[in-house]
Amino acid sequence: MKVRTIAVNTFKETIRDRILYSLLVFAIIMIGLSYFLAELSLGDFERVVINFGLSCVHIFGVLISVFIGITLVSKEVEKRTIYAIVSKPVSRIEFLMGKFFGLSITLLVTNIAMTVGLLLTAYVQSGNMNTTILFVSGMIYLELMLLTAVAILFSSFTTPTLSAIFTLSVFFIGHLSPGLKYFGEKSKSMVAKYFSLGLYYILPNLENFNFKNTAVYGVSIKGVSLVFIFFYFLSYLALILLISNWLFSRRDFK
Amino acid sequence: MSEEAINVRGLKKIYKTGFFLKPITALEGISFSVKSNEIYGFLGPNGAGKTTTIKILNSIVFPTEGEVELFGEKLGGVKNKYRIGYLPEQPYFYEYLSAEEFLSFCGNLFGLKKRDIQEKIEKLLPLVGLAKARKLQLRKFSKGMMQRIGIAQALINDPDLVILDEPMSGLDPIGRMEIRELIRNLKGKGKTVFFSSHIISDVELLADRVCILDRGTKIAEGNIEELIGNMAIKYYEINVKDLEDSGPLAKELGQALIGHYQRGSLQVMRIYPEDAINGAIDTIRSHGGMITGIIPVRVNLEELFMKKIAERFQ
């Protein structure tokens, strides 16, 4: 109940954010432009639209989750609105979960808006309704939720600027995960080996959520791997929120 | 035996600030207790540690050392927060919400039912003088209105203990009077009120007991009468009219007259000590003066406060 109250309020707060509108409008324009971009290519027009469009859904989703996620907690502390919440019978984990789910709802709305834009663009371009886009977009949404949790984790103990840098680093390294593992396994230097493998095991493997090739090239997906990915998502999310709570529960709001 | 609403023992707070975590002591082991159904004033200059203490009571910051009990239960967890209402200093709330939406939000955080929240809103908004502003977004609120909505949200759960950090701040004289009345009414309803202020007259007018803090240390605690030594009388002011020339009278009153001044058509003569009063009355009358009033002027909290602070500086 309390988590829901905070989540609804966070949704109301984030949906008013100018950054959100700027990014969303820009994303939809870019997705629309993929129609003309396909015209410039030599063939496979539909693939170009879907590939470019899904990249837009992904990148703009990441920007929204990072740049709004990092201010979710810090704004409350800076403006002292948090005083009226933590003084009430609300535990700090309830507060964090409320903030997390609030932004997750906003991300869902924006993800749906961008996906609908892409579906329409692809339909206008090819005359086909490629529903695989919905699945790939759903997997992008899971990644964005994870990234939001990471942004909240960093913003629970550091400044918005550092939180943005750290979260974007996690995003980039998270997508280089398979390369890190490969590098670690092949490296002859023990330092490089353990450093690469350490990063691979500690940071989230965001490539797990990358199914663009399924929509673009029709690569098939195994049910088992989907179960694994969903389990991985839930475990990693729970772990990040627990660490955030551990840090946040010890924090003084001066 | 009355229950203790707040019991603080050896409360110490050290903030660690900056890159090198430089320690800054905000509270140096203070102890005090607040009985149920009393109005307790927390007085001190800026930086005394009033807000830090209040933040600890509300789990906004954590103590470095010491123990805090609210209604006999140790601080921690959310259980005893159901019995507390809190107004932060210079309150700032979600500006995109209307007064009604904000109170509803606060009620939901206490787990109140929708119908109960609505009933509370109907009572509280007129009580704090915001009945006409219920649909107004908080971003359009003045400082005084923000203070009033802050008081309303502190009362949404019908708390047994109301903690108000500088409740009169930002209010005009009428607003301050209304809040004083509200605090007295809360006591009348059996609530305990703990409030901080640097406006000494407000504390003097309201508080059953007072705690004076300075630079993180408690320098005095007790009821106001106890603190200022049974309301020690500084001097008596005798108001005199129809006195043509006060010069000869002043000379005759001698050392008993410690000062005099004109107020409108009245001459005000300050007489001390007490046993010089009768002689002074006779002398004034013999000079043709008509006495319209004799007022004992007592030491007030402000003087006590200034004296205690000055003692600390020495």
Side-chain angles (χ1 to χ4, degrees), chain A residues 137-153:
Chain A
S137 199
M139 297 312 277
I140 289 174
Y141 178 64
L142 291 188
E143 181 188 331
L144 297 182
M145 281 177 84
L146 213 53
L147 216 54
T148 302
V150 172
I152 289 176
L153 166 69

Side-chain angles (χ1 to χ4, degrees), chain A residues 76 83 85-86 88 92 252, chain B residues 13 59 62 81 94 153:
Chain A
E76 293 263 5
Y83 292 4
I85 296 180
V86 294
K88 294 188 170 52
R92 301 227 174 156
D252 282 339
Chain B
K13 179 65 192 173
S59 308
F62 299 105
K81 290 184 183 176
Y94 300 112
Q153 63 85 35

Side-chain angles (χ1 to χ4, degrees), chain B residues 184-195:
Chain B
R184 285 194 196 103
N185 285 341
L186 287 171
K187 180 184 160 80
K189 286 178 188 165
K191 315 286 184 196
T192 309
V193 182
F194 178 94
F195 77 101

Side-chain angles (χ1 to χ4, degrees), chain B residues 240-261:
Chain B
V240 185
K241 73 175 185 181
D242 300 337
L243 198 63
E244 281 179 13
D245 184 6
S246 63
L249 172 63
K251 244 183 211 173
E252 204 170 322
L253 286 170
Q255 286 189 333
L257 183 74
I258 60 167
H260 68 108
Y261 63 95

Side-chain angles (χ1 to χ4, degrees), chain B residues 22-94:
Chain B
K22 189 184 164 198
I24 292 175
T25 305
L27 291 171
E28 300 205 43
I30 62 163
S31 301
F32 63 90
S33 63
V34 179
K35 294 186 198 95
S36 232
N37 195 214
E38 76 173 347
I39 301 178
Y40 193 90
F42 214 44
L43 193 61
N46 293 337
K50 304 186 296 290
T51 296
T52 297
T53 308
I54 287 177
K55 281 182 178 177
I56 290 173
L57 295 177
N58 285 288
S59 308
I60 293 169
V61 299
F62 299 105
T64 309
E65 270 176 36
E67 284 185 14
V68 180
E69 284 177 4
L70 299 174
F71 297 108
E73 282 188 28
K74 280 192 180 167
L75 213 59
V78 294
K79 199 179 157 195
N80 48 22
K81 290 184 183 176
Y82 283 97
R83 297 179 71 182
I84 299 169
Y86 163 59
L87 166 75
E89 185 187 15
Q90 294 170 351
Y92 191 87
F93 306 116
Y94 300 112

Side-chain angles (χ1 to χ4, degrees), chain A residues 38-55:
Chain A
E39 298 288 315
L40 298 175
S41 66
L42 292 172
D44 285 339
F45 302 134
E46 191 188 359
R47 281 182 188 175
V48 173
V49 170
I50 294 173
N51 204 354
F52 186 77
L54 281 172
S55 298

Side-chain angles (χ1 to χ4, degrees), chain B residues 100-237:
Chain B
E100 197 172 22
E101 285 170 337
F102 177 61
L103 290 182
S104 176
F105 169 76
C106 294
N108 281 324
L109 293 182
F110 279 102
L112 300 178
K113 288 179 186 155
K114 202 175 173 184
R115 199 180 54 194
D116 294 342
I117 293 173
Q118 208 48 47
E119 272 176 23
K120 283 275 171 198
I121 292 173
E122 298 305 327
K123 277 185 196 166
L124 286 172
L125 284 177
L127 185 74
V128 296
L130 291 175
K132 288 179 183 168
R134 62 162 58 219
K135 301 280 180 202
L136 198 66
Q137 274 188 323
L138 300 189
R139 74 170 80 240
K140 292 172 186 157
F141 271 35
S142 67
K143 198 179 170 197
M145 288 166 87
M146 207 57 124
Q147 195 76 6
R148 286 162 190 268
I149 194 72
I151 291 170
Q153 63 85 35
L155 301 176
I156 192 85
N157 56 323
D158 195 18
D160 295 321
L161 168 63
V162 185
I163 301 173
L164 308 168
D165 198 353
E166 302 279 357
M168 321 291 181
S169 167
L171 296 175
D172 57 26
I174 297 168
R176 281 168 57 186
M177 195 186 74
E178 285 171 358
I179 299 304
R180 280 201 296 268
E181 203 48 44
L182 180 84
I183 291 175
R184 285 194 196 103
N185 285 341
L186 287 171
K187 180 184 160 80
K189 286 178 188 165
K191 315 286 184 196
T192 309
V193 182
F194 178 94
F195 77 101
S196 76
S197 183
H198 61 268
I199 305 170
I200 300 167
S201 60
D202 286 333
V203 179
E204 197 165 13
L205 283 167
L206 275 173
D208 297 317
R209 287 199 306 139
V210 176
C211 176
I212 303 179
L213 281 190
D214 182 42
R215 285 171 285 166
T217 307
K218 183 176 85 176
I219 54 173
E221 189 194 12
N223 65 44
I224 293 172
E225 288 83 355
E226 274 171 19
L227 284 177
I228 57 182
N230 288 323
M231 304 288 274
I233 291 166
K234 287 195 293 183
Y235 49 77
Y236 292 84
E237 278 192 353

